């Protein structure tokens, strides 16, 4: 549905580009997770997709049509649920929805029907007469969502939609995102919470320093790297354990234990047997592929970003 091809962008006076040769696709009926540390280029990419930045180099198309010309003709096909609260604080929930419905060309019975549907989907029916600035953080996020859905967009951009919300509201928002994809929307979901992306994304793009580091189906990305074994033994034996396991793969210290990335021809049973033969008592063990956070940290080199 959406195709970004070799997109590059440099802000005036910047020493390096904010985006460099970025290519990706977002398909109807799936969630694309967009990840990256601060300064990776995520906000710049979202700004291009939402029409806030003009293209310098590359192409963006929606159903084979240039995005800019399509937005000029059908601006409501794409909607954004931003990190910031995108409503009028002194208006009530219903007044906000009516305002944004009118801006997008909805009126009369059509507007009332669509407002009722979005209130129901976002579970805001009990708060219709409440001023937006008096809503809780979770309810404000749900109002952002309801506004974004008013015009039945085909592409939805979620930019850090769960910042500062309680666990129940976060769970509701994640379920809502999955439901929208199941209904046929194309969803791009940006978050710093790796467990959220791992829970809902079909495919993932990892950006850093304006470049795509890795992209693909989530199952393929997590299955492509070495199988990992996290292990802790009784006593002060982590140093000895590191030396013992080094023939089986790459070993790093982790808290009171170690993490072993197994070489392709090594077997976990052989590792356990070696530990037992050395007279070490296993206190804790976890075996499986790396999770999304481990992959992300390995690709972005763990350095702090401002």
């Amino acid at each position: 549905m959406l195709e970004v091809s070799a997109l590059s962008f440099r802000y005036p006076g910047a020493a390096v580009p904010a985006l460099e040769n970025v290519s990706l696709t977002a398909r109807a009926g799936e969630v694309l997770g967009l990840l990256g540390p601060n300064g990776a280029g995520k906000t710049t990419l979202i700004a291009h997709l939402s029409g806030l930045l003009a293209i310098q180099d590359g192409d963006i198309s929606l159903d084979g049509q240039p995005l800019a010309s399509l937005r000029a003709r059908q601006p409501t096909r794409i909607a954004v649920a931003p990190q910031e609260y995108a409503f009028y604080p002194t208006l009530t929930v219903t007044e906000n929805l009516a305002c944004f419905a009118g801006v997008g060309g909805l009126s009369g019975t059509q507007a009332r029907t669509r407002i009722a549907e979005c209130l129901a989907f976002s579970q805001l029916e009990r708060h219709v007469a409440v001023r937006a600035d008096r809503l809780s953080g979770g309810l404000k996020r749900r109002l952002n969502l309801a506004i974004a859905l008013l015009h039945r967009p085909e592409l939805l951009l979620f930019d850090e939609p769960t910042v500062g919300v309680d666990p129940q509201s976060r769970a509701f928002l994640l379920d809502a995102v999955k439901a929208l994809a199941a209904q046929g929307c194309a969803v791009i979901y940006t978050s710093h919470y790796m467990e959220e992306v791992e829970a809902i994304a079909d495919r993932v793009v990892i950006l850093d320093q304006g470049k795509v580091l890795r992209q693909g189906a989530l199952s393929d990305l997590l299955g492509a790297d070495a199988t990992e074994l996290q292990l802790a033994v009784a006593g002060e034996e982590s140093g000895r354990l590191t030396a013992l396991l080094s023939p089986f793969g790459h070993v790093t210290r982790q808290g009171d234990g170690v993490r072993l990335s197994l070489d392709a021809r090594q077997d976990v049973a052989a590792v356990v047997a070696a530990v037992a033969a050395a007279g070490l008592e296993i206190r804790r063990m976890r075996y499986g592929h790396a999770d999304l956070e481990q992959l992300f940290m390995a690709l972005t080199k763990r350095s702090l970003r401002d």
Side-chain angles (χ1 to χ4, degrees):
M1 180 180 175
L2 174 81
E3 184 171 4
V4 178
S5 301
L7 183 66
S8 296
F9 185 86
R10 187 189 298 263
Y11 289 101
V16 296
L19 296 173
E20 187 174 354
N21 200 35
V22 171
S23 297
L24 57 86
T25 58
R27 303 165 186 159
E30 72 173 19
V31 178
L32 177 68
L34 181 61
L35 298 175
N38 292 333
K42 303 186 304 297
T43 299
T44 302
L45 177 57
I46 294 295
H48 276 86
L49 299 179
S50 57
L52 298 177
L53 284 176
I55 296 173
Q56 290 178 349
D57 292 294
D59 297 288
I60 306 177
S61 62
L62 190 63
D63 291 341
Q65 304 176 59
L67 182 64
S69 59
L70 187 142
R71 287 188 65 89
R73 299 192 309 273
Q74 299 174 291
T76 59
R77 288 188 67 182
I78 301 175
V80 183
Q83 180 176 345
E84 299 78 16
Y85 297 134
F87 46 72
Y88 295 102
T90 59
L91 298 183
T92 68
V93 168
T94 300
E95 288 168 345
N96 265 289
L97 288 169
C99 176
F100 284 98
V103 168
L106 293 177
S107 61
T109 301
Q110 187 182 28
R112 289 190 294 272
T113 299
R114 192 64 193 133
I115 289 171
E117 291 171 345
C118 292
L119 286 169
F121 184 85
S122 302
Q123 295 185 19
L124 287 170
E125 300 102 316
R126 294 190 296 111
H127 309 280
V128 293
V130 180
R131 275 180 37 156
D133 59 358
R134 295 175 181 168
L135 297 171
S136 68
L139 290 172
K140 288 176 179 177
R141 294 294 177 190
R142 282 151 60 182
L143 179 55
N144 262 10
L145 173 65
I147 292 169
L149 297 180
L150 274 169
H151 301 283
R152 301 184 188 277
E154 298 169 34
L155 173 64
L156 274 161
L157 311 175
F158 287 91
D159 188 9
E160 300 284 348
T162 62
V163 171
V165 304
D166 59 272
Q168 290 82 3
S169 295
R170 174 173 287 118
F172 170 82
L173 289 166
L174 294 179
D175 287 342
V177 170
K178 289 192 291 185
L180 290 166
Q183 293 169 14
C185 288
V187 177
I188 297 179
Y189 188 92
T190 298
S191 178
H192 285 298
Y193 299 115
M194 301 295 157
E195 70 277 9
E196 289 186 0
V197 176
E198 196 164 351
I200 66 173
D202 300 289
R203 293 186 300 117
V204 171
V205 174
I206 299 177
L207 282 176
D208 196 14
Q209 299 179 346
K211 300 176 183 178
V212 175
L213 299 183
R214 191 79 63 88
Q215 65 175 306
L218 181 60
S219 57
D220 292 340
L221 292 182
L222 297 184
D225 291 282
T227 304
E228 296 218 340
L229 177 65
Q230 297 175 36
L231 194 65
V233 296
E236 302 294 329
E237 299 284 0
S238 292
R240 183 181 170 199
L241 187 61
T242 299
L244 177 67
L245 298 184
S246 59
F248 296 95
H250 179 67
V251 185
T252 55
R253 297 286 290 272
Q254 180 182 20
D256 62 346
V258 300
R259 173 181 291 158
L260 168 65
S261 296
L262 281 168
D263 289 342
R265 290 172 291 182
Q266 298 293 347
D267 181 74
V268 67
V271 175
V272 174
V275 173
L280 299 176
E281 178 188 350
I282 296 175
R283 293 177 51 200
R284 184 178 69 254
M285 186 171 71
R286 179 182 174 190
Y287 174 66
H289 290 293
D291 61 25
L292 186 57
E293 182 169 359
Q294 292 165 351
L295 174 63
F296 177 84
M297 296 297 280
L299 290 173
T300 58
K301 312 303 182 187
R302 291 180 170 266
S303 58
L304 290 175
R305 311 297 170 87
D306 297 320

